[in-house]
Amino acid sequence: MNTEGSSTINSAIQKFLAQNGVQKLEPKAVLFDMDGVLYDSMPFHAKAWKEVADRHGLVSSPADFYMFEGCTGAFTIDTLYQRSFGRYATQEEKEQIYQEKAVLFSQYNDGEAMTGAAEVLEKVSAHGLQRLVVTGSGQKSLIEKLEHTYPGQFTREKMVTAFDVTKGKPDPEPYLMGLKKAGVACNEAFVVENAPMGVKAGVAAHIFTIAVNTGPLPDSVLLEAGAHMLYHSMRDLANDWDNLMSACRDFR
Ligand code: MG
């Protein structure tokens, strides 16, 4: 690692400690977002959303669905209704649109793992840290899917899904629930996120939040959301993992 890299990590940790009034960052668990982090599924979500929005006369751009990523479906639909028709969607409209989007997504989704995510999980395991998934997804049988892609890395008990929380990202609730399920304090975890709303949720939960920009949005969107560190791929994060861990140790 070059000097610039290590000073970036050190200043990110210093910023986190000052923000949260804590003395050290001692990671024991890593809270992983799922879409766009563990799976390369965001292009299919965005494509399904755009098609359904067009079908219903809702004004949208493809980038919108990367900006809304992590929010509940109801929030996304209401935002588009406000923009297009100046009113909120009815409950029936929300259910209809969300259902249509889910059908299209399952047609398009190929279940492809995110490049480099397996390497990150290996690093995290090698350092003895817990691994959790914190996702807004309400897909059934998520654990089976994860077990298939990443054998032995996750358990049903250590997952937060749409069924566990009342508020979606950017609310901190999903990540606070993740800390609870891991049994760790906010300065004993990392969040790994690709979406601006997810980064906001991690930061609001007072967790050191690592953004991995795997999509089309500019880095500035993730940095402005409060990301402490930013990488351009899961492989880059895997390659820097040892440096992150040793920088945390240096602050103790
Ligand atoms: Mg995501």
Side-chain angles (χ1 to χ4, degrees):
M1 183 181 56
N2 59 33
T3 330
E4 190 189 326
S6 96
S7 72
T8 304
I9 295 175
N10 289 342
S11 51
I13 293 173
Q14 262 159 352
K15 181 183 166 190
F16 170 82
L17 299 177
Q19 268 176 344
N20 296 288
V22 289
Q23 303 300 316
K24 60 184 178 179
L25 174 58
E26 196 171 8
K28 295 176 179 167
V30 183
L31 312 181
F32 289 96
D33 171 51
M34 188 175 73
D35 290 295
V37 169
L38 298 175
Y39 290 97
D40 195 6
S41 46
M42 269 313 295
F44 306 120
H45 280 291
K47 180 173 155 72
W49 271 120
K50 181 70 179 127
E51 271 185 51
V52 174
D54 290 350
R55 194 187 285 168
H56 290 266
L58 297 166
V59 179
S60 71
S61 73
D64 283 336
F65 302 107
Y66 288 90
M67 288 301 293
F68 298 149
E69 186 194 345
C71 298
T72 63
F75 174 89
T76 298
I77 295 163
D78 265 338
T79 305
L80 296 180
Y81 262 80
Q82 280 287 353
R83 180 193 293 171
S84 311
F85 306 127
R87 67 170 177 87
Y88 291 115
T90 65
Q91 193 56 33
E92 292 71 33
E93 287 164 339
K94 283 180 196 164
E95 283 168 17
Q96 175 67 29
I97 288 174
Y98 194 71
Q99 170 66 16
E100 289 179 28
K101 183 264 167 179
V103 167
L104 276 186
F105 172 71
S106 64
Q107 283 172 17
Y108 295 146
N109 186 28
D110 61 7
E112 197 72 37
M114 180 60 72
T115 303
E119 286 101 306
V120 173
L121 290 169
E122 277 165 32
K123 285 283 184 187
V124 171
S125 304
H127 282 274
L129 311 184
Q130 296 183 62
R131 299 155 309 276
L132 289 87
V133 171
V134 178
T135 177
S137 174
Q139 293 174 69
K140 306 283 180 199
S141 66
L142 271 188
I143 188 64
E144 286 80 5
K145 183 177 144 182
L146 284 162
E147 185 57 27
H148 176 78
T149 317
Y150 302 108
Q153 292 285 357
F154 298 102
T155 63
R156 193 182 301 277
E157 295 69 40
K158 300 281 173 75
M159 291 191 59
V160 179
T161 72
F163 304 111
D164 297 298
V165 293
T166 53
K167 296 181 198 128
K169 301 167 188 174
D171 194 277
E173 188 187 2
Y175 281 116
L176 292 173
M177 180 73 74
L179 292 177
K180 197 174 165 191
K181 289 199 175 193
V184 302
C186 62
N187 64 335
E188 295 175 333
F190 285 161
V191 160
V192 180
E193 262 290 351
N194 69 305
M197 295 301 174
V199 167
K200 283 186 181 175
V203 171
H206 305 289
I207 305 171
F208 188 89
T209 300
I210 299 168
V212 182
N213 192 0
T214 60
L217 299 177
D219 290 349
S220 59
V221 173
L222 294 162
L223 294 170
E224 280 157 21
H228 297 99
M229 289 290 293
L230 185 141
Y231 296 90
H232 290 112
S233 69
M234 288 295 273
R235 186 156 283 157
D236 286 353
L237 174 58
N239 290 339
D240 211 25
W241 196 267
D242 295 340
N243 298 326
L244 274 170
M245 295 302 291
S246 62
C248 291
R249 271 193 299 275
D250 291 345
F251 274 91
R252 280 175 217 166

